[in-house]
Every structure is written in C-alpha cells, then in structure tokens.
C-alpha cells in the first residue's frame, strides 16, 4: 500500500517537474543514505525528522547503493537551487547549489511522501512508499523569505519558537525576524542589565482585544528567553538554513525598558520612575531620551545581542533590526535635555534628532561588521548608506529606499500583516484591520513594477508580519498565520506571473493536500469554511476597517 503526494501538489510550487509517470523508487527500512561533503545539516534532519516519521532508519550506505538516497552539492547551481531526481536505476538524488539548496530539496521530498511524513512517529508502520520517476528543478525567486514574529506583546515560550522554525523550514522560508522588545515586554536576557527581564518582562494585566475594548485579563503576563535559550534558537534555525534577525526597538516602543531603568526616559517631562510595563496597545508617548547615556546603555545591550546572534549563522545573520518606528516626539519637544542635545548637535528638528539616534547605531554596527535594518520611518531625516529598510507603511517607502540605494524588505501593512482579519463575517475572532484573504496574500506582489532593474536588485525579498496584540496563545497565532503564510511562501519562492494572472484556483487545489500536512503538524489554521467554534472570540472588540486597502 502506498501513500505519496503528486508532484503537482507541492507548496510552494517548483519551477519545473519533468519525467514520465512510471514506477520510480520504493522507500523501505533498508533504504540507505549517502551524504556528500557539505550536506551534513540535511543528513541530520533526514535522520532526526523524516526517518522517525516514517519508521525509516536511513542507515549509511555507499554512494552507488541501489535505490538509495543521495545528497550532494553541485556548485554550478545557485546556492539555494536544487534538483531532486527519482529514477528506478539511480534511487533518489538531491543535488543543491549549496547546503541550503540540498535542505530545500529534502523539504520537497518530504511533501512527496505524503502527510504522514509530517508526523513525529509512524502511524502505519510497514507501509511502502513508491516515489514516481520524476526530476524536479527548483530555485527561489527572492533571497529574503521571512516571518516577523512578535513575542513582545504576547510571549511565546521557547518550544513554540522552535516549532515555528520547523513550520518555516517546511515552507522554504529562511528569515525569522524576531521582535524581542516593545512597550509591553522585554524578552531577552541582558546580563549587565538584569532589571530588563526582572522588571521589564512582566506586566500586571493585559488588555483583551483592541485598546478600546473594556475587557481586561487581570492575570500577570510575561516571560523571557535566557541567553542559552537564544543560543539554542539561533543554532536550531541555522540547522534549518534560517537566519534569525533580532529586533531591539529604539527609540520608541520602549516603555518596558524605561520601566526597568527610568533614567532611559524623558524624566524632566514625565515621572519615569512611576512607569510600569505597558498593559494596553497602541502608539506609546513614552520614548527613550535622546542622550549620550541612552546610547551607552543600548551599546551595552547590543554588545550582548551580537554575541548571541553571530554574523556567520546564515546569509542574513549580519543584520540587526533597531525598530525606529512610531516614535512620538512630543516628549522631546517638551524636554529641556532633548532640546539642549538638539542644539549641541546643530540639528534642525526632532526628526533630525531621531536620524542622529539611528545613525549612531548604524555606524556602531557597521564598525563591528554588522548591518542595520529598521522600519521605514528611519528614512526620515536621512539614512546612512549601508542601512536597509523594512517597508511597512505601504510600497512608497520601499520604492524611495531602493531608488536611494538602500536594500529593502517589502512587508506592507495593507498586504501582509497577518493580524489583519481574514474575512468580514461576524465570527472572525477579534477583527483587526482590512480583510486580507488567502487569495489577497497569494496575489501580493513584493517587487514594485516601477523600479528599474538596478533598483529591483535592491529588493532583498519579503516577509509576513505577525503582531500578537490580540493573539494570546499558540492557537491564535496559528489561526492568523495559516494558511496565509503558505501563500506568502509561494509568492516569495515561486516564479509566479503577474498578480491578476496567478492561478489561485490551482493553488487552492494544491492547498487541499497541504491542509493534510498542516493537520499532521498540529497547526490550528483557519479552515476555508471559516473559524471553528473554539476559534471564535465573541464579544471581544476589534478594529475592523471597511473597504479594500490602499494598494500603495
């Protein structure tokens, strides 16, 4: 009895599938695994994940073992490209342009083996699996294929983060943008500043729903990752060819840090000693003081961050995200200290003061072989040449940044913020923002058409952003993220036509097979028929916005 998936049911869709439909290779407990130089991460993953799911030991064997599985690198292919060849007389061979390419080829093999390959132990021991004769040739369209995970608003325990890294790998996503600090919580241990987690990682209560909601959860909420937790997350990601880009938000979104160390705030304007970790949502007026002391403090933070997130852990590991968004400058305008700093620096206004703040850390990171990336507000007041931009307020900032010679990650709120609601129906839980259906995400185009070829090369790629103000647990994160993340993964990986010409009906058909994989992985996704009864949140106020979102 066999249980395999058609090569036409793959998500994301590969570039080419060739070969006649005839018997190929049967995987059995006797199937051997040969791994060439440089393929060790995939060899370990096959033996630790795929093998146990199917009851296959995948014992070492010679390169020419009949019906064996072989891994090799061919430098003539692009680094993330792969070729998966299945032939009765040759066995199964995964060839990648680099180690990452071999790993992505193994993810495709897993999909071909059916949904049981996504479980942790065999549910039908002894079942044979015949992989049809096929050659799949594939390569990603975009280099940066990411997920931004907000663990500051609602803390996700370490095991949940590791689980999301596995879900990303299954969809050939390669960047985890790790949003570690915000007004509502500081989630990373900094040894020289212990109060950041002793005080800043816990809030006394939490707003339930949108900030206008009258509901509160009066149970304290919090948690943080120890430095060894972070090292484990980074190493686990690297084994799956995923770069982890940490975000330490400055100078706004910083009330948790100010609650821990009041001297970081504008204490000549507000009583910063009375501030606590924020318990509600929205844009917070309490921002960092633009002083040399604040710079020194965050240099100390970043020194430890750089040690925990080494630059050689992946192609995008040199990046450090510093936020830079939604910094309300009212306190700076009222602060004698901030105004004196502005005068001492000879700056024109508070926007230039933020540019000075961001520019300092751009130079500081550059001197240590790193690259700064921030939300598109960092363009205001001027931006250092080496800095990159996460374009979230639409496409315009990304176009501006690319034309100015900056690298860009396209993640416009109106298109790929997965906290936005998925349907206009009354049962949609805590409805936030615009309706962004699975089809809307599938028709998202991350590369603006108005860019020249040279400017287009500045678009590193795209990511979906998962903000967790109204996602209190793993089930809620799953519901908002899936299945839309599968659509984003195909947009980022596959060579799709223009949005209007994309075969969404064909994608929906392939998703029928993919839902079975998600079921096997235990993902609490939104069903195509709508939320299940326990996924609804009746009576919890959201912030729905009617009408289609602006395209630009």
């Amino acid at each position: 009895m066999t249980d395999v998936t058609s090569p036409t049911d793959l998500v994301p869709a590969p570039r080419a599938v060739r070969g006649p439909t005839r018997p190929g290779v049967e995987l059995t407990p006797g199937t051997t695994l040969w791994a060439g130089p440089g393929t060790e991460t995939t060899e370990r993953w096959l033996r630790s994940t795929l093998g146990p799911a199917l009851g296959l030991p995948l014992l070492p064997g010679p390169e020419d073992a009949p019906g064996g599985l072989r891994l090799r690198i061919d430098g003539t292919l692009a680094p993330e490209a792969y070729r998966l060849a299945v032939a009765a007389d040759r066995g199964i061979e995964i060839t990648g342009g680099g180690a990452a390419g071999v790993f992505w080829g193994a993810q495709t093999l897993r999909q071909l083996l059916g949904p049981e390959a996504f479980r942790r132990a065999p549910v039908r021991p002894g079942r044979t699996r015949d992989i049809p004769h096929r050659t799949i040739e594939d390569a990603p369209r975009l280099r940066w294929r990411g997920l931004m995970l907000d663990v500051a608003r609602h803390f996700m325990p370490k095991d949940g983060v590791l689980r999301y890294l596995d879900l990303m790998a299954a969809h050939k996503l390669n960047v985890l943008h790790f949003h570690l600090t915000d007004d509502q919580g500081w989630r990373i241990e900094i040894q020289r500043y212990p109060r950041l987690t002793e005080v800043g990682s816990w809030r006394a209560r939490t707003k339930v729903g949108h900030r206008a909601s009258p509901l509160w959860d009066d149970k304290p909420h919090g948690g943080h990752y120890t430095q060894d937790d972070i090292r484990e997350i980074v190493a686990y990601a690297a084994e799956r060819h995923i770069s982890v880009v940490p975000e330490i938000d400055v100078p706004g979104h910083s009330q948790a840090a100010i609650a821990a160390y009041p001297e970081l705030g504008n204490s000549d304007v507000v009583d910063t000693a009375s501030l606590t970790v924020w318990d509600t949502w929205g844009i917070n007026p309490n921002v960092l003081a633009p002083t040399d002391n604040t710079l020194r403090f965050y240099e100390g933070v970043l020194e430890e961050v750089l040690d925990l997130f080494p630059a050689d852990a992946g192609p995008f590991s040199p990046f450090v995200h510093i936020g830079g968004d939604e910094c309300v400058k009212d306190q700076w305008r009222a602060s004698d200290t901030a105004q004196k700093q502005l005068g001492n620096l000879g700056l024109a206004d508070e926007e230039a003061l933020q540019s000075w703040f961001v520019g300092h850390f751009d130079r500081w990171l550059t001197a240590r072989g790193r690259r700064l990336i921030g939300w598109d507000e960092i363009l205001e007041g001027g931006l250092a040449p080496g800095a990159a931009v996460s374009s979230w307020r639409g496409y315009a900032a990304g176009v501006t940044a690319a034309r100015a010679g900056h690298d860009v990650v396209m993640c416009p709120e109106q298109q790929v913020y997965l906290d936005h609601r998925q349907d206009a129906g009354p049962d949609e839980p805590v409805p936030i923002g615009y309706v962004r259906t699975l089809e809307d995400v599938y028709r998202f185009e991350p590369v603006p058409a108005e860019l020249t070829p040279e400017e287009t090369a500045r678009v590193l790629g795209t990511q979906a952003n998962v903000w967790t103000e109204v996602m209190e647990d793993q089930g809620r994160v799953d519901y908002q993220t899936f299945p839309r993340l599968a659509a984003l993964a195909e947009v980022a990986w596959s060579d799709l036509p223009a949005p209007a010409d994309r075969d969404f009906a064909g994608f929906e058909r392939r998703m029928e097979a993919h839902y079975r994989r998600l079921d096997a992985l235990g993902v609490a996704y939104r069903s195509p028929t709508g939320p299940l009864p326990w996924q609804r949140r009746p009576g919890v106020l959201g912030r729905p916005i009617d009408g289609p979102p602006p395209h630009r």
Side-chain angles (χ1 to χ4, degrees), residues 232-280:
E232 180 183 359
I233 288 167
V234 171
Y236 195 85
E239 279 283 300
R240 287 146 184 79
H241 298 277
I242 297 171
S243 302
V244 184
V245 176
E247 180 178 354
I248 306 296
D249 217 333
V250 296
H253 289 286
S254 297
Q255 183 163 318
I258 298 169
Y261 292 93
E263 64 271 22
L264 295 174
N266 297 282
S267 55
D268 58 344
V269 177
V270 296
D271 179 12
T272 55
S274 69
L275 294 178
T276 60
V277 178
W278 212 26
D279 56 15
T280 189

Tab-separated table of all heavy atoms in Angstrom, residues 232-280:
chain	number	residue	atom	x	y	z
A	232	GLU	N	20.226	28.508	21.644
A	232	GLU	CA	19.565	27.311	21.129
A	232	GLU	C	18.682	27.639	19.934
A	232	GLU	O	18.690	26.921	18.922
A	232	GLU	CB	18.731	26.663	22.243
A	232	GLU	CG	18.002	25.399	21.815
A	232	GLU	CD	17.127	24.832	22.914
A	232	GLU	OE1	17.098	25.401	24.021
A	232	GLU	OE2	16.448	23.819	22.653
A	233	ILE	N	17.913	28.707	20.022
A	233	ILE	CA	17.042	29.118	18.921
A	233	ILE	C	17.862	29.419	17.674
A	233	ILE	O	17.531	28.981	16.560
A	233	ILE	CB	16.195	30.337	19.343
A	233	ILE	CG1	15.117	29.905	20.354
A	233	ILE	CG2	15.554	31.012	18.136
A	233	ILE	CD1	14.440	31.053	21.059
A	234	VAL	N	18.947	30.167	17.836
A	234	VAL	CA	19.786	30.536	16.692
A	234	VAL	C	20.420	29.292	16.066
A	234	VAL	O	20.456	29.147	14.834
A	234	VAL	CB	20.858	31.554	17.123
A	234	VAL	CG1	21.874	31.786	16.001
A	234	VAL	CG2	20.209	32.882	17.518
A	235	ALA	N	20.908	28.368	16.907
A	235	ALA	CA	21.527	27.157	16.379
A	235	ALA	C	20.499	26.265	15.697
A	235	ALA	O	20.775	25.670	14.637
A	235	ALA	CB	22.217	26.397	17.516
A	236	TYR	N	19.310	26.158	16.280
A	236	TYR	CA	18.241	25.359	15.690
A	236	TYR	C	17.843	25.932	14.330
A	236	TYR	O	17.626	25.188	13.366
A	236	TYR	CB	17.050	25.355	16.642
A	236	TYR	CG	15.994	24.311	16.383
A	236	TYR	CD1	16.119	23.031	16.899
A	236	TYR	CD2	14.847	24.613	15.650
A	236	TYR	CE1	15.141	22.064	16.691
A	236	TYR	CE2	13.871	23.662	15.436
A	236	TYR	CZ	14.012	22.389	15.965
A	236	TYR	OH	13.043	21.442	15.752
A	237	ALA	N	17.763	27.249	14.251
A	237	ALA	CA	17.445	27.901	12.977
A	237	ALA	C	18.539	27.655	11.947
A	237	ALA	O	18.250	27.340	10.775
A	237	ALA	CB	17.244	29.396	13.196
A	238	ALA	N	19.800	27.783	12.363
A	238	ALA	CA	20.908	27.610	11.427
A	238	ALA	C	20.918	26.203	10.843
A	238	ALA	O	21.251	26.004	9.659
A	238	ALA	CB	22.229	27.912	12.117
A	239	GLU	N	20.564	25.195	11.656
A	239	GLU	CA	20.485	23.829	11.150
A	239	GLU	C	19.432	23.709	10.054
A	239	GLU	O	19.484	22.791	9.234
A	239	GLU	CB	20.141	22.867	12.294
A	239	GLU	CG	21.324	22.465	13.146
A	239	GLU	CD	22.180	21.416	12.451
A	239	GLU	OE1	21.662	20.325	12.150
A	239	GLU	OE2	23.370	21.703	12.210
A	240	ARG	N	18.476	24.626	10.038
A	240	ARG	CA	17.412	24.630	9.038
A	240	ARG	C	17.599	25.743	8.006
A	240	ARG	O	16.682	26.076	7.277
A	240	ARG	CB	16.050	24.754	9.749
A	240	ARG	CG	15.671	23.469	10.442
A	240	ARG	CD	14.902	23.671	11.717
A	240	ARG	NE	14.663	22.369	12.366
A	240	ARG	CZ	15.577	21.709	13.086
A	240	ARG	NH1	16.780	22.251	13.286
A	240	ARG	NH2	15.302	20.533	13.616
A	241	HIS	N	18.795	26.296	7.965
A	241	HIS	CA	19.171	27.325	6.986
A	241	HIS	C	18.267	28.548	7.078
A	241	HIS	O	17.899	29.156	6.073
A	241	HIS	CB	19.215	26.726	5.581
A	241	HIS	CG	20.248	25.640	5.477
A	241	HIS	ND1	21.576	25.900	5.253
A	241	HIS	CD2	20.153	24.290	5.669
A	241	HIS	CE1	22.255	24.760	5.270
A	241	HIS	NE2	21.419	23.773	5.527
A	242	ILE	N	17.931	28.887	8.318
A	242	ILE	CA	17.141	30.083	8.613
A	242	ILE	C	18.004	31.067	9.387
A	242	ILE	O	18.617	30.704	10.394
A	242	ILE	CB	15.882	29.723	9.431
A	242	ILE	CG1	14.957	28.799	8.612
A	242	ILE	CG2	15.141	30.979	9.870
A	242	ILE	CD1	13.804	28.224	9.421
A	243	SER	N	18.079	32.300	8.914
A	243	SER	CA	18.768	33.370	9.633
A	243	SER	C	17.799	33.999	10.622
A	243	SER	O	16.637	34.254	10.281
A	243	SER	CB	19.248	34.448	8.659
A	243	SER	OG	20.121	33.920	7.674
A	244	VAL	N	18.260	34.261	11.841
A	244	VAL	CA	17.447	34.943	12.842
A	244	VAL	C	17.947	36.380	12.965
A	244	VAL	O	19.111	36.614	13.285
A	244	VAL	CB	17.509	34.245	14.205
A	244	VAL	CG1	16.572	34.945	15.195
A	244	VAL	CG2	17.131	32.774	14.081
A	245	VAL	N	17.063	37.333	12.681
A	245	VAL	CA	17.390	38.752	12.758
A	245	VAL	C	16.706	39.322	14.001
A	245	VAL	O	15.478	39.433	14.039
A	245	VAL	CB	16.923	39.498	11.492
A	245	VAL	CG1	17.171	41.003	11.628
A	245	VAL	CG2	17.639	38.945	10.257
A	246	PRO	N	17.470	39.662	15.054
A	246	PRO	CA	16.855	40.183	16.277
A	246	PRO	C	16.417	41.624	16.102
A	246	PRO	O	17.059	42.396	15.382
A	246	PRO	CB	17.979	40.078	17.302
A	246	PRO	CG	19.224	40.273	16.485
A	246	PRO	CD	18.936	39.624	15.150
A	247	GLU	N	15.311	41.974	16.766
A	247	GLU	CA	14.898	43.378	16.800
A	247	GLU	C	14.907	43.884	18.237
A	247	GLU	O	14.236	43.330	19.113
A	247	GLU	CB	13.502	43.573	16.203
A	247	GLU	CG	13.085	45.055	16.236
A	247	GLU	CD	11.728	45.332	15.612
A	247	GLU	OE1	11.130	44.397	15.037
A	247	GLU	OE2	11.269	46.491	15.707
A	248	ILE	N	15.689	44.932	18.466
A	248	ILE	CA	15.716	45.682	19.721
A	248	ILE	C	15.186	47.063	19.386
A	248	ILE	O	15.868	47.859	18.748
A	248	ILE	CB	17.137	45.764	20.305
A	248	ILE	CG1	17.760	44.354	20.450
A	248	ILE	CG2	17.119	46.517	21.629
A	248	ILE	CD1	17.039	43.457	21.433
A	249	ASP	N	13.956	47.365	19.783
A	249	ASP	CA	13.253	48.557	19.294
A	249	ASP	C	13.718	49.818	20.010
A	249	ASP	O	13.687	49.895	21.236
A	249	ASP	CB	11.752	48.371	19.498
A	249	ASP	CG	10.927	48.953	18.365
A	249	ASP	OD1	11.404	49.895	17.717
A	249	ASP	OD2	9.812	48.466	18.131
A	250	VAL	N	14.163	50.801	19.246
A	250	VAL	CA	14.526	52.135	19.736
A	250	VAL	C	14.141	53.153	18.663
A	250	VAL	O	14.051	52.801	17.499
A	250	VAL	CB	16.051	52.247	20.015
A	250	VAL	CG1	16.477	51.319	21.131
A	250	VAL	CG2	16.887	51.974	18.762
A	251	PRO	N	13.963	54.434	19.030
A	251	PRO	CA	13.834	54.996	20.372
A	251	PRO	C	12.401	54.940	20.910
A	251	PRO	O	12.164	55.227	22.072
A	251	PRO	CB	14.301	56.431	20.197
A	251	PRO	CG	13.939	56.761	18.784
A	251	PRO	CD	14.089	55.485	17.994
A	252	GLY	N	11.423	54.563	20.044
A	252	GLY	CA	10.056	54.373	20.518
A	252	GLY	C	9.834	52.935	20.947
A	252	GLY	O	10.765	52.128	20.993
A	253	HIS	N	8.587	52.606	21.294
A	253	HIS	CA	8.234	51.247	21.710
A	253	HIS	C	9.174	50.746	22.808
A	253	HIS	O	9.638	49.605	22.771
A	253	HIS	CB	8.252	50.297	20.504
A	253	HIS	CG	7.121	50.518	19.543
A	253	HIS	ND1	5.822	50.124	19.825
A	253	HIS	CD2	7.085	51.097	18.312
A	253	HIS	CE1	5.041	50.454	18.791
A	253	HIS	NE2	5.781	51.053	17.867
A	254	SER	N	9.434	51.578	23.798
A	254	SER	CA	10.486	51.274	24.781
A	254	SER	C	10.031	51.395	26.229
A	254	SER	O	10.873	51.472	27.127
A	254	SER	CB	11.693	52.205	24.544
A	254	SER	OG	12.262	51.988	23.270
A	255	GLN	N	8.721	51.413	26.498
A	255	GLN	CA	8.298	51.633	27.883
A	255	GLN	C	8.729	50.498	28.805
A	255	GLN	O	9.005	50.743	29.982
A	255	GLN	CB	6.781	51.834	27.978
A	255	GLN	CG	6.337	52.150	29.413
A	255	GLN	CD	4.962	52.755	29.511
A	255	GLN	OE1	4.622	53.622	28.704
A	255	GLN	NE2	4.172	52.326	30.477
A	256	ALA	N	8.815	49.261	28.325
A	256	ALA	CA	9.267	48.177	29.194
A	256	ALA	C	10.691	48.432	29.677
A	256	ALA	O	11.018	48.194	30.850
A	256	ALA	CB	9.172	46.840	28.470
A	257	ALA	N	11.558	48.927	28.790
A	257	ALA	CA	12.930	49.242	29.189
A	257	ALA	C	12.961	50.407	30.165
A	257	ALA	O	13.728	50.408	31.143
A	257	ALA	CB	13.768	49.554	27.953
A	258	ILE	N	12.126	51.423	29.933
A	258	ILE	CA	12.085	52.587	30.822
A	258	ILE	C	11.538	52.196	32.191
A	258	ILE	O	12.001	52.695	33.225
A	258	ILE	CB	11.254	53.716	30.185
A	258	ILE	CG1	11.902	54.184	28.872
A	258	ILE	CG2	11.096	54.890	31.138
A	258	ILE	CD1	11.017	55.109	28.043
A	259	ALA	N	10.559	51.284	32.219
A	259	ALA	CA	10.036	50.807	33.497
A	259	ALA	C	11.136	50.148	34.312
A	259	ALA	O	11.163	50.254	35.547
A	259	ALA	CB	8.880	49.839	33.260
A	260	ALA	N	12.053	49.455	33.638
A	260	ALA	CA	13.157	48.789	34.326
A	260	ALA	C	14.258	49.762	34.716
A	260	ALA	O	14.843	49.653	35.803
A	260	ALA	CB	13.719	47.683	33.433
A	261	TYR	N	14.543	50.734	33.868
A	261	TYR	CA	15.612	51.718	34.090
A	261	TYR	C	15.054	53.102	33.771
A	261	TYR	O	15.174	53.584	32.640
A	261	TYR	CB	16.827	51.390	33.218
A	261	TYR	CG	17.521	50.112	33.644
A	261	TYR	CD1	17.193	48.887	33.060
A	261	TYR	CD2	18.479	50.135	34.656
A	261	TYR	CE1	17.811	47.709	33.477
A	261	TYR	CE2	19.111	48.965	35.071
A	261	TYR	CZ	18.769	47.751	34.478
A	261	TYR	OH	19.384	46.591	34.896
A	262	PRO	N	14.419	53.771	34.759
A	262	PRO	CA	13.736	55.048	34.500
A	262	PRO	C	14.624	56.132	33.912
A	262	PRO	O	14.125	57.039	33.241
A	262	PRO	CB	13.207	55.440	35.885
A	262	PRO	CG	13.065	54.142	36.612
A	262	PRO	CD	14.196	53.298	36.131
A	263	GLU	N	15.933	56.052	34.139
A	263	GLU	CA	16.836	57.082	33.603
A	263	GLU	C	16.902	57.063	32.087
A	263	GLU	O	17.397	58.018	31.469
A	263	GLU	CB	18.236	56.906	34.183
A	263	GLU	CG	18.948	55.617	33.815
A	263	GLU	CD	18.676	54.464	34.772
A	263	GLU	OE1	17.645	54.513	35.473
A	263	GLU	OE2	19.493	53.516	34.805
A	264	LEU	N	16.380	56.015	31.461
A	264	LEU	CA	16.361	55.958	29.996
A	264	LEU	C	15.286	56.855	29.398
A	264	LEU	O	15.350	57.186	28.210
A	264	LEU	CB	16.125	54.523	29.521
A	264	LEU	CG	17.209	53.496	29.845
A	264	LEU	CD1	16.747	52.098	29.444
A	264	LEU	CD2	18.518	53.847	29.138
A	265	GLY	N	14.294	57.237	30.184
A	265	GLY	CA	13.189	58.037	29.673
A	265	GLY	C	13.418	59.529	29.847
A	265	GLY	O	14.450	59.983	30.366
A	266	ASN	N	12.432	60.286	29.423
A	266	ASN	CA	12.498	61.746	29.491
A	266	ASN	C	11.993	62.194	30.862
A	266	ASN	O	10.880	62.704	31.014
A	266	ASN	CB	11.669	62.351	28.349
A	266	ASN	CG	12.235	61.968	26.989
A	266	ASN	OD1	13.227	62.534	26.533
A	266	ASN	ND2	11.613	60.992	26.345
A	267	SER	N	12.834	62.030	31.859
A	267	SER	CA	12.421	62.222	33.245
A	267	SER	C	12.202	63.683	33.610
A	267	SER	O	11.631	63.968	34.670
A	267	SER	CB	13.457	61.612	34.192
A	267	SER	OG	14.749	62.126	33.933
A	268	ASP	N	12.634	64.604	32.751
A	268	ASP	CA	12.336	66.016	33.018
A	268	ASP	C	10.966	66.419	32.472
A	268	ASP	O	10.539	67.561	32.655
A	268	ASP	CB	13.421	66.925	32.441
A	268	ASP	CG	13.609	66.767	30.941
A	268	ASP	OD1	13.139	65.757	30.374
A	268	ASP	OD2	14.233	67.663	30.323
A	269	VAL	N	10.274	65.473	31.847
A	269	VAL	CA	8.939	65.740	31.306
A	269	VAL	C	7.878	64.903	32.033
A	269	VAL	O	6.783	65.398	32.333
A	269	VAL	CB	8.892	65.431	29.788
A	269	VAL	CG1	7.487	65.638	29.234
A	269	VAL	CG2	9.892	66.311	29.044
A	270	VAL	N	8.194	63.628	32.294
A	270	VAL	CA	7.262	62.729	32.976
A	270	VAL	C	7.983	62.041	34.125
A	270	VAL	O	9.215	61.969	34.160
A	270	VAL	CB	6.676	61.665	32.011
A	270	VAL	CG1	5.847	62.306	30.927
A	270	VAL	CG2	7.785	60.813	31.413
A	271	ASP	N	7.216	61.539	35.067
A	271	ASP	CA	7.776	60.793	36.195
A	271	ASP	C	8.040	59.369	35.719
A	271	ASP	O	7.216	58.467	35.884
A	271	ASP	CB	6.788	60.812	37.365
A	271	ASP	CG	7.298	60.018	38.565
A	271	ASP	OD1	8.498	59.653	38.561
A	271	ASP	OD2	6.498	59.752	39.470
A	272	THR	N	9.209	59.153	35.137
A	272	THR	CA	9.513	57.846	34.562
A	272	THR	C	9.611	56.757	35.632
A	272	THR	O	9.402	55.576	35.334
A	272	THR	CB	10.816	57.895	33.754
A	272	THR	OG1	11.870	58.400	34.588
A	272	THR	CG2	10.658	58.814	32.546
A	273	ALA	N	9.913	57.140	36.872
A	273	ALA	CA	10.007	56.149	37.944
A	273	ALA	C	8.657	55.513	38.255
A	273	ALA	O	8.602	54.434	38.860
A	273	ALA	CB	10.589	56.791	39.202
A	274	SER	N	7.580	56.170	37.847
A	274	SER	CA	6.244	55.622	38.112
A	274	SER	C	5.725	54.760	36.961
A	274	SER	O	4.662	54.151	37.076
A	274	SER	CB	5.255	56.761	38.368
A	274	SER	OG	5.027	57.507	37.171
A	275	LEU	N	6.467	54.697	35.854
A	275	LEU	CA	6.001	53.925	34.702
A	275	LEU	C	6.157	52.430	34.961
A	275	LEU	O	7.129	51.983	35.572
A	275	LEU	CB	6.780	54.311	33.445
A	275	LEU	CG	6.572	55.731	32.922
A	275	LEU	CD1	7.456	55.989	31.704
A	275	LEU	CD2	5.111	55.970	32.563
A	276	THR	N	5.198	51.668	34.477
A	276	THR	CA	5.252	50.209	34.532
A	276	THR	C	5.250	49.663	33.113
A	276	THR	O	5.039	50.402	32.141
A	276	THR	CB	4.046	49.652	35.303
A	276	THR	OG1	2.838	50.054	34.632
A	276	THR	CG2	4.031	50.159	36.739
A	277	VAL	N	5.501	48.365	32.986
A	277	VAL	CA	5.373	47.738	31.668
A	277	VAL	C	3.942	47.945	31.173
A	277	VAL	O	2.983	47.716	31.909
A	277	VAL	CB	5.721	46.245	31.753
A	277	VAL	CG1	5.553	45.573	30.390
A	277	VAL	CG2	7.154	46.058	32.263
A	278	TRP	N	3.814	48.408	29.944
A	278	TRP	CA	2.507	48.833	29.432
A	278	TRP	C	1.579	47.645	29.304
A	278	TRP	O	1.988	46.561	28.871
A	278	TRP	CB	2.690	49.512	28.081
A	278	TRP	CG	1.708	50.601	27.799
A	278	TRP	CD1	1.028	51.364	28.697
A	278	TRP	CD2	1.298	51.063	26.505
A	278	TRP	NE1	0.229	52.281	28.059
A	278	TRP	CE2	0.377	52.119	26.711
A	278	TRP	CE3	1.629	50.711	25.200
A	278	TRP	CZ2	-0.224	52.810	25.653
A	278	TRP	CZ3	1.050	51.397	24.152
A	278	TRP	CH2	0.125	52.439	24.373
A	279	ASP	N	0.299	47.862	29.636
A	279	ASP	CA	-0.667	46.765	29.641
A	279	ASP	C	-1.721	46.875	28.553
A	279	ASP	O	-2.656	46.087	28.505
A	279	ASP	CB	-1.344	46.652	31.013
A	279	ASP	CG	-2.014	47.956	31.458
A	279	ASP	OD1	-2.205	48.861	30.613
A	279	ASP	OD2	-2.347	48.058	32.661
A	280	THR	N	-1.578	47.852	27.670
A	280	THR	CA	-2.555	48.019	26.597
A	280	THR	C	-1.818	48.196	25.281
A	280	THR	O	-0.598	48.001	25.198
A	280	THR	CB	-3.506	49.192	26.898
A	280	THR	OG1	-4.569	49.188	25.924
A	280	THR	CG2	-2.806	50.531	26.892
